[in-house]
PDB file of all heavy atoms in Angstrom:
ATOM      1  N   THR A 151     126.849 214.102 171.990  1.00 96.00           N
ATOM      2  CA  THR A 151     128.059 213.369 171.640  1.00 96.00           C
ATOM      3  C   THR A 151     127.712 211.936 171.257  1.00 96.00           C
ATOM      4  O   THR A 151     126.899 211.286 171.913  1.00 96.00           O
ATOM      5  CB  THR A 151     129.050 213.353 172.818  1.00 96.00           C
ATOM      6  OG1 THR A 151     129.431 214.704 173.126  1.00 96.00           O
ATOM      7  CG2 THR A 151     130.297 212.556 172.486  1.00 96.00           C
ATOM      8  N   GLU A 152     128.331 211.461 170.182  1.00 96.00           N
ATOM      9  CA  GLU A 152     128.129 210.083 169.744  1.00 96.00           C
ATOM     10  C   GLU A 152     129.475 209.413 169.505  1.00 96.00           C
ATOM     11  O   GLU A 152     130.463 210.071 169.154  1.00 96.00           O
ATOM     12  CB  GLU A 152     127.310 210.045 168.448  1.00 96.00           C
ATOM     13  CG  GLU A 152     127.974 210.794 167.293  1.00 96.00           C
ATOM     14  CD  GLU A 152     127.167 210.739 166.013  1.00 96.00           C
ATOM     15  OE1 GLU A 152     126.444 209.746 165.814  1.00 96.00           O
ATOM     16  OE2 GLU A 152     127.283 211.684 165.198  1.00 96.00           O
ATOM     17  N   LYS A 153     129.530 208.099 169.730  1.00 96.00           N
ATOM     18  CA  LYS A 153     130.740 207.347 169.405  1.00 96.00           C
ATOM     19  C   LYS A 153     130.687 206.978 167.932  1.00 96.00           C
ATOM     20  O   LYS A 153     129.743 206.361 167.452  1.00 96.00           O
ATOM     21  CB  LYS A 153     130.858 206.083 170.251  1.00 96.00           C
ATOM     22  CG  LYS A 153     132.106 205.267 169.905  1.00 96.00           C
ATOM     23  CD  LYS A 153     132.166 203.932 170.641  1.00 96.00           C
ATOM     24  CE  LYS A 153     132.600 204.105 172.066  1.00 96.00           C
ATOM     25  NZ  LYS A 153     132.900 202.802 172.711  1.00 96.00           N
ATOM     26  N   VAL A 154     131.739 207.344 167.206  1.00 97.00           N
ATOM     27  CA  VAL A 154     131.805 207.105 165.765  1.00 97.00           C
ATOM     28  C   VAL A 154     132.445 205.759 165.467  1.00 97.00           C
ATOM     29  O   VAL A 154     132.005 205.010 164.590  1.00 97.00           O
ATOM     30  CB  VAL A 154     132.581 208.237 165.067  1.00 97.00           C
ATOM     31  CG1 VAL A 154     132.760 207.952 163.579  1.00 97.00           C
ATOM     32  CG2 VAL A 154     131.888 209.570 165.272  1.00 97.00           C
ATOM     33  N   ASP A 155     133.497 205.420 166.208  1.00 98.00           N
ATOM     34  CA  ASP A 155     134.225 204.182 165.930  1.00 98.00           C
ATOM     35  C   ASP A 155     135.121 203.871 167.120  1.00 98.00           C
ATOM     36  O   ASP A 155     135.428 204.740 167.952  1.00 98.00           O
ATOM     37  CB  ASP A 155     135.065 204.333 164.660  1.00 98.00           C
ATOM     38  CG  ASP A 155     135.551 202.992 164.101  1.00 98.00           C
ATOM     39  OD1 ASP A 155     135.097 201.938 164.613  1.00 98.00           O
ATOM     40  OD2 ASP A 155     136.382 203.008 163.169  1.00 98.00           O
ATOM     41  N   SER A 156     135.549 202.616 167.202  1.00 97.00           N
ATOM     42  CA  SER A 156     136.539 202.213 168.197  1.00 97.00           C
ATOM     43  C   SER A 156     137.391 201.090 167.607  1.00 97.00           C
ATOM     44  O   SER A 156     136.883 200.200 166.931  1.00 97.00           O
ATOM     45  CB  SER A 156     135.873 201.757 169.501  1.00 97.00           C
ATOM     46  OG  SER A 156     135.010 200.674 169.275  1.00 97.00           O
ATOM     47  N   ALA A 157     138.686 201.179 167.865  1.00 96.00           N
ATOM     48  CA  ALA A 157     139.647 200.169 167.407  1.00 96.00           C
ATOM     49  C   ALA A 157     140.993 200.520 168.015  1.00 96.00           C
ATOM     50  O   ALA A 157     141.209 201.639 168.478  1.00 96.00           O
ATOM     51  CB  ALA A 157     139.745 200.131 165.878  1.00 96.00           C
ATOM     52  N   ARG A 158     141.923 199.555 167.987  1.00 95.00           N
ATOM     53  CA  ARG A 158     143.281 199.791 168.510  1.00 95.00           C
ATOM     54  C   ARG A 158     143.237 200.298 169.952  1.00 95.00           C
ATOM     55  O   ARG A 158     144.075 201.100 170.363  1.00 95.00           O
ATOM     56  CB  ARG A 158     144.039 200.788 167.646  1.00 95.00           C
ATOM     57  CG  ARG A 158     144.136 200.418 166.183  1.00 95.00           C
ATOM     58  CD  ARG A 158     145.002 199.198 165.974  1.00 95.00           C
ATOM     59  NE  ARG A 158     145.195 198.890 164.567  1.00 95.00           N
ATOM     60  CZ  ARG A 158     145.828 197.824 164.114  1.00 95.00           C
ATOM     61  NH1 ARG A 158     146.321 196.954 164.971  1.00 95.00           N
ATOM     62  NH2 ARG A 158     145.965 197.608 162.816  1.00 95.00           N
ATOM     63  N   HIS A 159     142.243 199.849 170.726  1.00 96.00           N
ATOM     64  CA  HIS A 159     142.078 200.277 172.114  1.00 96.00           C
ATOM     65  C   HIS A 159     141.871 201.784 172.203  1.00 96.00           C
ATOM     66  O   HIS A 159     142.261 202.423 173.188  1.00 96.00           O
ATOM     67  CB  HIS A 159     143.277 199.853 172.976  1.00 96.00           C
ATOM     68  CG  HIS A 159     143.572 198.387 172.898  1.00 96.00           C
ATOM     69  ND1 HIS A 159     142.745 197.438 173.475  1.00 96.00           N
ATOM     70  CD2 HIS A 159     144.589 197.720 172.304  1.00 96.00           C
ATOM     71  CE1 HIS A 159     143.258 196.230 173.244  1.00 96.00           C
ATOM     72  NE2 HIS A 159     144.369 196.372 172.523  1.00 96.00           N
TER      73      HIS A 159
END
Side-chain angles (χ1 to χ4, degrees):
T151 298
E152 60 179 331
K153 179 186 282 190
V154 175
D155 195 9
S156 59
R158 304 292 185 185
H159 306 289

